Amino acid sequence: MKSKFTIFITMLWLFNACEKKVILHPENSEQKLSVEAILSDFPFVSYVRVTKSKDIYQPITNHEQITDADVKIIDLTTGDTIHFAYDNATENYKTNLPGLEGHKYRLDIMAQGHHLTSTKTMTTKVNLDRVISVPTEEDPNVYYLKMQFDDPPAQEDYYLIIMQPQDPNSGLESRFSVMSDMTYNRQEKTISITDEYFNKDEDWIILFFHIDRENFNYFKVILRAMKSLVNGAHPFYGLSLGNPQSTIDGDQTLGYFIASPVTASPIRIGN
């Protein structure tokens, strides 16, 4: 399964005043290094991707990939190091070692003279028990999804849900949503995803992550930006973005590092 989790969206604001065009230059429009990183208890899902973002006036696709970076994740709990090697097939840095719940990890990248880091503690696993497709009131052949799981009641929790087509040649595009348990239905034990719709008999894989608040805030900004596009497109597919608060430390850097267990569940829409 080829990962294309590139999450940038170019933002350009043009205003007219007194018949004179004024161009506003948004923050973060200069070229940056972009990092996308997930460490999970299931190594197949773990990956690191390092690319260059683009100038605001450049095309938003085909970001230059950095394939010769030194990428590792250090387990600060045990002192062990998880090395990542670049994999041409997935266009990501990959590992065959799992992360462990409760362990503190530091992402450490050397890329083109830049030292990029991020430190996260792997969250506890929240098992996704079931994915339910529910027909919309407007069209019985169009569905939204409910995630059924036991949400820990003691504190506010945050979830990243990635929806990928089972058949990569189906023409369907991956999607994502981020949710707080503030919308969790404790009677049904569900969270509803009502901003993405699916057609009957489509086959999907749902990846369910229990994430930290900083990454929730990061993805929430991206989700709002994505939904605001006139010709909306999913930020896991090569767009270029403006101003979310990066969870990666380093000069001229943006991106995220998530340390979370994952639950995967297939679903056929309408069944």
Side-chain angles (χ1 to χ4, degrees):
M1 182 169 56
K2 187 175 181 180
S3 298
K4 289 280 189 182
F5 297 96
T6 309
I7 56 169
F8 307 110
I9 301 173
T10 302
M11 304 180 84
L12 172 61
W13 296 345
L14 297 178
F15 290 85
N16 291 311
C18 301
E19 299 183 353
K20 179 180 179 181
K21 181 179 290 185
V22 179
I23 300 177
L24 299 183
H25 299 280
E27 295 179 42
N28 300 330
S29 61
E30 67 273 16
Q31 188 177 71
K32 298 178 181 293
L33 292 183
S34 165
V35 175
E36 305 155 65
I38 292 179
L39 178 66
S40 181
D41 58 336
F42 185 37
F44 184 72
V45 175
S46 300
Y47 76 98
V48 177
R49 184 177 173 88
V50 186
T51 58
K52 287 184 177 181
S53 69
K54 291 190 173 184
D55 181 88
I56 191 170
Y57 299 107
Q58 290 180 309
I60 62 177
T61 57
N62 300 319
H63 289 261
E64 179 184 347
Q65 294 198 45
I66 298 174
T67 62
D68 59 353
D70 179 24
V71 178
K72 57 181 176 288
I73 294 177
I74 301 167
D75 186 333
L76 298 178
T77 304
T78 65
D80 297 330
T81 298
I82 302 173
H83 292 280
F84 283 70
Y86 188 77
D87 176 63
N88 287 305
T90 61
E91 299 181 345
N92 293 318
Y93 294 87
K94 300 290 291 181
T95 185
N96 58 5
L97 296 176
L100 300 172
E101 292 180 38
H103 283 220
K104 191 173 185 178
Y105 292 98
R106 185 175 74 236
L107 174 67
D108 193 285
I109 299 172
M110 285 298 301
Q112 298 190 343
H114 294 270
H115 187 205
L116 317 176
T117 65
S118 181
T119 300
K120 291 293 178 185
T121 298
M122 183 167 282
T123 56
T124 57
K125 188 161 192 170
V126 176
N127 286 305
L128 178 61
D129 298 325
R130 185 184 176 200
V131 182
I132 306 165
S133 58
V134 182
T136 61
E137 294 181 359
E138 294 80 8
D139 187 338
N141 292 310
V142 176
Y143 292 74
Y144 67 92
L145 298 182
K146 288 185 177 183
M147 309 291 117
Q148 190 172 70
F149 61 98
D150 286 319
D151 174 70
Q155 70 283 324
E156 186 173 0
D157 292 281
Y158 310 95
Y159 301 99
L160 169 66
I161 302 105
I162 298 173
M163 298 148 274
Q164 296 184 331
Q166 292 186 32
D167 180 3
N169 299 315
S170 64
L172 300 171
E173 290 187 353
S174 291
R175 313 175 186 187
F176 85 102
S177 187
V178 284
M179 312 288 290
S180 161
D181 67 2
M182 297 296 288
T183 62
Y184 182 72
N185 184 324
R186 297 205 173 270
Q187 291 185 326
E188 290 186 351
K189 297 185 176 181
T190 63
I191 278 182
S192 297
I193 302 176
T194 57
D195 59 349
E196 290 289 348
Y197 297 100
F198 304 84
N199 296 315
K200 185 175 175 58
D201 295 330
E202 292 177 350
D203 294 311
W204 294 84
I205 292 285
I206 309 301
L207 302 177
F208 187 74
F209 298 89
H210 180 203
I211 65 174
D212 61 280
R213 185 182 182 114
E214 287 183 347
N215 277 302
F216 168 78
N217 290 338
Y218 180 86
F219 278 93
K220 196 71 175 177
V221 170
I222 291 168
L223 190 63
R224 285 200 302 266
M226 181 192 76
K227 297 298 183 182
S228 71
L229 294 177
V230 175
N231 297 309
H234 292 279
F236 289 149
Y237 276 83
L239 301 180
S240 204
L241 177 58
N243 303 322
Q245 182 62 49
S246 176
T247 66
I248 302 291
D249 297 322
D251 293 336
Q252 300 303 311
T253 305
L254 55 85
Y256 63 87
F257 172 43
I258 290 172
S260 166
V262 64
T263 301
S265 177
I267 181 173
R268 168 161 283 192
I269 303 301
N271 289 354

